[in-house]
Amino acid sequence: MKQEITKQDPTNANNEGDQLDNNSALRKQVRKQAHKSVSDIILANYRKTCAKQIKPSIDILNAALSMAKAAKLNDSFTETQFEQEMARRIDLLLSSSYFCEDCQVNSLEPFAAASHFVLNGWQALADYLLRKPGAGLNPTEHWSNPMFDRVKMASYVPHIDKMLTGEAVAKSACDEAA
């Protein structure tokens, strides 16, 4: 018996392989995005906008945050939910003695510094709190002006205001550092 050998069209074979690569890359991208919260997507868009600025002012930073929020906020994820998430992250920072010591060393007001630091995203916050190498404050001249309203943040997480005014039953890390 004679065996027939069929040749495949090389352009067709490559396209099929490319299609498989594209499908797996797309699946990985979708999986990666599925784990990001809307807050983190907003913050990523904010950081992209700020990175394009030559010398951002506090007004430009506020406008960039407003634009990033406007692009993602809707009925299922509101501005209040975003601010509540940021308030919880600020509370985590203010509860850290490392953060308060770093603020004291850099002559920063803790709430203002925390309001800027949380805009770096959840991973930067986790790396800093876990004291990973290379994770630090890296403040700019804008860190003296808070990005969020302190009263509004305290309404979401009352612990924030108590920590900053020293009314907490157990002294906060920032009060001990002072």
Side-chain angles (χ1 to χ4, degrees):
M1 281 193 146
K2 200 175 192 184
Q3 279 186 327
E4 280 189 33
I5 300 175
T6 60
K7 285 189 174 181
Q8 289 183 342
D9 182 13
T11 58
N12 194 20
N14 285 341
N15 288 340
E16 289 174 5
D18 288 345
Q19 185 66 28
L20 290 175
D21 290 341
N22 288 339
N23 287 341
S24 64
L26 182 62
R27 279 194 303 272
K28 287 179 185 177
Q29 184 180 9
V30 168
R31 267 193 310 242
K32 186 175 181 182
Q33 288 178 349
H35 295 293
K36 279 190 172 182
S37 70
V38 177
S39 295
D40 287 326
I41 293 169
I42 290 171
L43 295 179
N45 291 340
Y46 163 79
R47 288 190 302 274
K48 284 178 191 175
T49 303
C50 290
K52 295 176 185 175
Q53 305 302 316
I54 294 172
K55 188 172 181 181
S57 67
I58 192 69
D59 294 331
I60 290 174
L61 296 177
N62 284 323
L65 184 59
S66 295
M67 285 178 10
K69 288 191 297 188
K72 286 293 176 186
L73 296 179
N74 54 38
D75 291 338
S76 64
F77 191 80
T78 64
E79 184 164 4
T80 301
Q81 290 172 308
F82 174 75
E83 289 176 343
Q84 288 172 338
E85 177 65 26
M86 294 303 104
R88 286 191 292 274
R89 293 178 188 193
I90 288 170
D91 184 45
L92 277 173
L93 277 173
L94 294 176
S95 299
S96 167
S97 60
Y98 295 122
F99 178 76
C100 294
E101 288 171 10
D102 287 348
C103 285
Q104 188 176 23
V105 167
N106 290 300
S107 301
L108 297 169
E109 195 273 318
F111 177 78
S115 73
H116 281 272
F117 191 85
V118 297
L119 297 176
N120 292 328
W122 185 248
Q123 189 61 52
L125 179 65
D127 289 348
Y128 178 79
L129 292 174
L130 294 172
R131 307 302 283 174
K132 289 196 174 178
L137 286 186
N138 304 320
T140 65
E141 68 269 11
H142 306 300
W143 280 36
S144 58
N145 301 322
M147 291 295 288
F148 300 101
D149 181 28
R150 180 176 167 169
V151 174
K152 199 179 243 187
M153 293 290 112
S155 71
Y156 299 134
V157 181
H159 188 251
I160 289 174
D161 205 37
K162 290 179 181 176
M163 290 177 67
L164 293 170
T165 59
E167 294 175 12
V169 175
K171 282 196 152 198
S172 72
C174 291
D175 292 335
E176 292 171 5

